[in-house]
Amino acid sequence: MDVEGPQALCDLCLAQVCLSLDILCRRRADGSLCLSWAPLFPQEMADQLLQMMAKKGILNNTTVGIFRNCKELRLRRASIRSCTVSAQAFRLALCPHRLQELDASWVSGGLSGANIISGLASNAECRSSLQRLSLNGLHLDWDALEEVEGARLGFSSLRGLRTLSLANTDLTDDILEDICMLPHLEILDISCCAVSKLTPLLDCKNTLKSLTAHRLRQLDMSPARLLSVLTQLHALKHLDFSDDHFAVDDSDGSDGDETVRQLLEGSPQILPALVSLDVSGRKRMTEAAVTAFVKARSGLVFLGLTATGVSSCDVLSSCKNLKVTGEANENQVCEALRRYRDKECFIREALVHLYNLTTDIDRPRPDLLQLVLSGMQSHPSSLHVQLVATACVFNLTTQDLAEAMPVSLLTSSVTQLLHAMKTFPSHTQVQKNCLLALCSDYILQDVPFDKYLAATLVINWLSSHEDPTLQRMAVAVISILVAKLTTEETAHLGKDIFIMKQLLNIVQQKAMVGVVDSTLKFALSALWNLTDEMPTASRNFIECQGLELYEEVLESYYTEPSIQQKILGLLNNLAEVEELHADLMEEDLLEHVLTLLQDSHLEVGVRYFAGGFLAQLASRPEAWTLDEELLSTILKQLHASIITWTQLEREMVSYRSFRPFCPLLQTSQPSGVQLWAVWAIHLVCSQNTSQYGSMLETEGVTELLKALAAHPDTHSDIKRLSDSILRMIEESQSHSGPSKSQTGPQSS
């Protein structure tokens, strides 16, 4: 179990509801979903269901329809953040509820701020109940607002609003004036908007406790006038007047910088209630001014100084209750990553410093990894963030560090890495960072993630890069991933001739210069796994001239048993496909493989796969098109060679199925063919009886073994091995229940 414990039962149940919506719902005439039957949900659970649907990416015009049922599914805190919802779907599904909070930030689908305001205002209860509203990233479309009884609707219509967030919107001075008429407004975020005056804030000077005004590059106020307005906000406790230090536009932000300088150097009577100030990204500050400001305000609990150059002041470390963002130490960097999740410029800055801090890290830091992932999730399309973040992920999971991390955290990490690879396919360094992080045996073998997506992304990257080091890592990753795919995923991957060509091209590159390295071995393993019980992939292999290449490699690498074994393993896969037997009827190939079978100086592993290839081809005499004497020799040598093999202790091969063995175990088969099959089954069963016992039963192999053992014409060597296998299975079943294997051939 993961160190953070199991998922909450409520979360598991709601996740199941999300997966089963099509079963649990019927469709209305407009195509939207409606629960066929619904109990009265606990109110908080209705909020959680909506949030989970949004998080899983399944909340849309169709599925949001279930919330039209206001009696059983009562929403209070609704989040449709980053979902695709139309104005009509929003009005029908969410507006009838007595909402207290709504987050509709970054919603697509044509839903505007005007749609939201008019929809909420149409519900008399909502006008007074709604306390928190977030519309970040939306087009407000102010001119489209309706008029009711001669007066235009606006934010001021929602009289209960206490918190309003409008960052990255088309907010104007006129709209700000309307907002500041709200009688209870306490928290306001107008970051990255085009307002030119902050004077309207004076209308809510007695209620406004928190103002976030990050990157207001179109402000047209002198520093003196701006400071005058801020000074009159008597209730203000939290002020964010930070700036994007990476921004390139017509304004240099100098008036804002000067305002901050005057604020820091001014009297503590200016904004006396202030406990939190963020001036990250601002210029013209001095350590002396910061020191004086902090000393004069004993109640200060937060100071944002990222990218200001003054976060190393001695006074900052002496204030125990003061949290600071900056670059001076790990605490400041982590605080920046926590606080600036929505501010790309500061996330970038903090990640660069975190990368430097973690370059030589020697202990697991899941807390740091979680902060990096949060930044990646918040800015999935930012090249700058993803570039540095993927490098940080590598630093934090390299070598043995990953094994001490919660598995769920590693799953999230790989998911983000794959998203970065998919989003920036042409950026070499991003791809390299992701590949370095993925190239971990522990992550690839033991961490659950979308291995099919990972395999396709790495293969696509491989097609346009020939750097030897990166090529080696990419092929290693592919080799391990292919062995981990389900049968369906492997089949789908094997249908892609492009993938087959890429791997064969690597084999050819290495073979041309006679190199024996891990890249060649991993490529051969990947091809072996890719063709395992996959007729389409096997056919593609032959169509891509793979057989000719493998014949050359088999002969040229005659002193390399590890290479020979992988080549012969794939030839076994080809020989299991009956319709390919005609392609394999090449006398030179079969005679060479026969010499390998007979060579007593070779490892048993090489002779084993040589025997398997020949046994499969010899099992269908009706398809044999070569000299009959060669067939007779193969059958004799199969029996003569196999009977001399010693039992292996190490695991040499694993099977996902014994179905290809069934034709070889028929009582009508020659003894050499039968003997290879029973020797192979005896080998894997003696090494892992519990894994293979149920597979033999389920696939009917035990009945074939019993028939062989009982048949009067069966050779005594075959009877002896068959009886031994049956005894192993019986003993295993008497001790414990068998389990079904899903593994493919050995990949290294």
Side-chain angles (χ1 to χ4, degrees):
M1 187 177 294
D2 225 344
V3 294
E4 72 268 30
Q7 278 187 278
L9 180 59
C10 177
D11 291 341
L12 291 170
C13 292
L14 291 176
Q16 189 59 43
V17 171
C18 291
L19 288 171
S20 309
L21 282 179
D22 285 339
I23 300 171
L24 299 173
C25 297
R26 57 181 173 81
R27 287 188 181 268
R28 299 185 181 90
D30 64 359
S32 63
L33 294 184
C34 174
L35 287 171
S36 301
W37 174 84
L40 179 61
F41 269 55
Q43 191 280 305
E44 295 84 356
M45 194 175 290
D47 292 341
Q48 291 168 7
L49 177 59
L50 178 70
Q51 187 172 18
M52 184 169 287
M53 289 171 65
K55 186 177 179 181
K56 289 182 175 294
I58 62 171
L59 190 69
N60 51 44
N61 291 338
T62 301
T63 57
V64 77
I66 67 172
F67 294 98
R68 294 188 197 178
N69 183 346
C70 300
K71 292 182 179 179
E72 281 72 32
L73 295 172
R74 298 160 297 158
L75 296 174
R76 293 294 180 268
R77 294 171 175 82
S79 175
I80 57 173
R81 189 181 183 94
S82 301
C83 298
T84 303
V85 178
S86 69
Q88 182 181 16
F90 172 79
R91 183 181 285 267
L92 292 173
L94 298 186
C95 292
H97 294 268
R98 193 173 185 273
L99 296 178
Q100 295 174 359
E101 299 179 9
L102 173 64
D103 184 354
S105 298
W106 307 101
V107 168
S108 57
L111 183 63
S112 68
N115 298 143
I116 291 172
I117 294 169
S118 59
L120 295 173
S122 67
N123 181 343
E125 287 188 320
C126 254
R127 290 190 182 206
S128 57
S129 68
L130 191 71
Q131 297 181 26
R132 181 187 295 265
L133 180 60
S134 294
L135 304 181
N136 298 330
L138 286 195
H139 173 46
L140 297 181
D141 196 18
W142 191 251
D143 293 335
L145 276 171
E146 306 165 0
E147 287 193 3
V148 177
E149 298 178 356
R152 175 183 282 184
L153 291 173
F155 288 102
S156 57
S157 306
L158 306 173
R159 307 295 288 174
L161 270 185
R162 294 178 180 274
T163 301
L164 180 59
S165 186
L166 298 172
N168 293 283
T169 64
D170 50 337
L171 179 70
T172 62
D173 293 341
D174 290 341
I175 306 175
L176 184 59
E177 288 182 11
D178 174 72
I179 290 168
C180 292
M181 293 170 60
L182 288 165
H184 307 294
L185 186 63
E186 296 178 351
I187 300 173
L188 178 62
D189 186 349
I190 55 173
S191 300
C192 304
C193 293
V195 292
S196 63
K197 307 289 183 187
L198 294 185
T199 312
L201 295 176
L202 296 176
D203 291 333
C204 54
K205 63 183 180 181
N206 295 321
T207 62
L208 192 64
K209 297 178 180 179
S210 174
L211 173 63
T212 302
H214 167 71
R215 196 187 172 192
L216 296 187
R217 283 300 181 98
Q218 295 192 38
L219 272 183
D220 185 18
M221 299 177 73
S222 67
R225 180 58 182 150
L226 187 53
L227 191 60
S228 172
V229 171
L230 295 176
T231 302
Q232 296 179 64
L233 303 179
H234 305 305
L236 200 65
K237 294 183 176 182
H238 308 277
L239 174 60
D240 179 347
F241 200 61
S242 56
D243 193 27
D244 182 351
H245 57 300
F246 290 122
V248 178
D249 50 35
D250 294 337
S251 170
D252 61 0
S254 58
D255 285 345
D257 294 340
E258 177 60 21
T259 303
V260 168
R261 187 191 68 77
Q262 292 182 21
L263 174 61
L264 291 175
E265 295 177 358
S267 165
Q269 298 307 310
I270 299 176
L271 299 176
L274 203 66
V275 297
S276 168
L277 175 65
D278 197 336
V279 290
S280 292
R282 291 293 179 184
K283 307 175 182 66
R284 302 185 187 179
M285 279 181 276
T286 64
E287 291 191 6
V290 171
T291 300
F293 183 82
V294 171
K295 286 183 175 179
R297 296 172 184 266
S298 58
L300 201 64
V301 297
F302 171 70
L303 186 58
L305 296 174
T306 296
T308 61
V310 295
S311 64
S312 299
C313 295
D314 293 337
V315 70
L316 300 177
S317 57
S318 63
C319 300
K320 293 182 179 180
N321 297 325
L322 180 63
K323 293 187 181 298
V324 180
T325 64
E327 305 85 36
N329 53 53
E330 182 186 303
N331 287 338
Q332 290 187 5
V333 172
C334 290
E335 190 66 29
L337 289 170
R338 275 190 289 270
R339 287 188 179 258
Y340 297 142
R341 185 168 177 175
D342 293 330
K343 295 175 181 173
E344 180 195 356
C345 58
F346 300 145
I347 290 290
R348 284 170 59 182
E349 186 78 23
L351 285 172
V352 169
H353 293 285
L354 184 67
Y355 173 78
N356 293 329
L357 288 170
T358 57
T359 300
D360 298 314
I361 195 167
D362 58 359
R363 62 188 179 94
R365 293 294 303 273
D367 55 329
L368 297 184
L369 183 57
Q370 184 60 66
L371 289 173
V372 173
L373 295 185
S374 295
M376 295 178 77
Q377 291 161 355
S378 297
H379 305 283
S381 59
S382 167
L383 173 59
H384 300 290
V385 168
Q386 298 299 319
L387 178 61
V388 189
T390 51
C392 289
V393 171
F394 170 70
N395 280 355
L396 292 165
T397 59
T398 189
Q399 298 179 2
D400 298 330
L401 297 177
E403 296 183 36
M405 297 283 189
V407 173
S408 61
L409 185 61
L410 291 175
T411 296
S412 299
S413 301
V414 177
T415 300
Q416 291 305 129
L417 291 173
L418 297 182
H419 182 83
M421 291 184 75
K422 193 174 182 180
T423 306
F424 304 103
S426 302
H427 197 282
T428 301
Q429 193 60 51
V430 169
Q431 298 290 319
K432 181 178 179 180
N433 291 349
C434 294
L435 201 56
L436 284 165
L438 283 174
C439 201
S440 155
D441 279 343
Y442 176 71
I443 289 175
L444 293 173
Q445 299 282 4
D446 298 327
V447 176
F449 60 91
D450 189 341
K451 293 180 171 62
Y452 177 79
L453 173 62
T456 54
L457 288 172
V458 176
I459 288 168
N460 287 335
W461 178 87
L462 189 62
S463 65
S464 55
H465 295 82
E466 295 184 0
D467 178 275
T469 303
L470 296 180
Q471 187 185 69
R472 175 183 57 79
M473 288 192 297
V475 176
V477 169
I478 293 167
S479 174
I480 295 172
L481 290 175
V482 170
K484 293 288 183 180
L485 299 181
T486 65
T487 303
E488 294 75 17
E489 289 171 336
T490 306
H492 198 269
L493 203 63
K495 290 178 181 177
D496 192 339
I497 284 190
F498 171 78
I499 293 170
M500 191 70 68
K501 286 180 177 178
Q502 290 303 315
L503 292 171
L504 285 172
N505 185 48
I506 290 170
V507 173
Q508 187 171 33
Q509 287 175 11
K510 298 296 180 180
M512 285 176 65
V513 291
V515 170
V516 179
D517 61 9
S518 59
T519 303
L520 174 61
K521 292 180 180 179
F522 279 124
L524 292 172
S525 294
L527 286 163
W528 184 5
N529 283 306
L530 204 57
T531 54
D532 181 35
E533 291 192 57
M534 296 296 157
T536 302
S538 298
R539 195 175 300 110
N540 286 344
F541 177 87
I542 288 178
E543 289 178 3
C544 294
Q545 284 76 52
L547 186 59
E548 292 86 341
L549 174 61
Y550 266 43
E551 286 183 56
E552 295 174 9
V553 176
L554 190 60
E555 292 182 12
S556 58
Y557 284 81
Y558 60 90
T559 60
E560 298 293 337
S562 63
I563 303 297
Q564 289 179 314
Q565 189 168 311
K566 295 176 190 300
I567 291 172
L568 290 167
L570 183 139
L571 293 180
N572 273 248
N573 291 343
L574 301 184
E576 290 171 4
V577 183
E578 288 187 3
E579 59 264 34
L580 298 182
H581 278 200
D583 297 281
L584 300 174
M585 287 293 158
E586 294 189 17
E587 191 168 336
D588 290 343
L589 172 63
L590 270 63
E591 287 181 345
H592 182 69
V593 175
L594 180 59
T595 61
L596 298 177
L597 172 70
Q598 296 171 301
D599 191 342
S600 59
H601 296 99
L602 288 177
E603 292 183 4
V604 172
V606 175
R607 301 175 73 192
Y608 170 83
F609 287 109
F613 175 65
L614 295 172
Q616 284 287 354
L617 294 180
S619 69
R620 297 182 66 234
E622 71 278 6
W624 188 267
T625 58
L626 300 177
D627 185 68
E628 290 295 328
E629 186 177 338
L630 177 59
L631 175 58
S632 177
T633 303
I634 288 172
L635 292 172
K636 288 177 184 177
Q637 290 302 316
L638 275 169
H639 199 123
S641 299
I642 295 169
I643 207 66
T644 66
W645 295 350
T646 55
Q647 190 70 22
L648 298 175
E649 293 184 5
R650 68 178 180 85
E651 186 177 12
M652 180 179 66
V653 66
S654 61
Y655 291 102
R656 73 171 88 235
S657 165
F658 285 120
R659 282 185 291 271
F661 287 69
C662 292
L664 311 185
L665 294 170
Q666 302 301 317
T667 56
S668 58
Q669 288 287 4
S671 66
V673 171
Q674 294 171 339
L675 184 58
W676 182 86
V678 293
W679 197 94
I681 295 171
H682 188 274
L683 170 68
V684 294
C685 278
S686 63
Q687 294 171 340
N688 197 339
T689 311
S690 61
Q691 177 178 333
Y692 291 108
S694 64
M695 190 190 301
L696 290 168
E697 289 277 2
T698 304
E699 297 177 355
V701 179
T702 51
E703 293 303 315
L704 293 174
L705 291 171
K706 289 175 183 177
L708 270 179
H711 199 279
D713 295 335
T714 301
H715 195 283
S716 59
D717 293 332
I718 298 165
K719 284 187 176 185
R720 175 175 50 81
L721 285 173
S722 298
D723 287 335
S724 178
I725 295 167
L726 293 169
R727 280 196 304 273
M728 281 190 286
I729 295 171
E730 187 177 346
E731 289 172 7
S732 175
Q733 289 176 342
S734 66
H735 287 95
S736 62
S739 61
K740 187 173 182 180
S741 166
Q742 289 297 320
T743 58
Q746 187 171 313
S747 59
S748 62

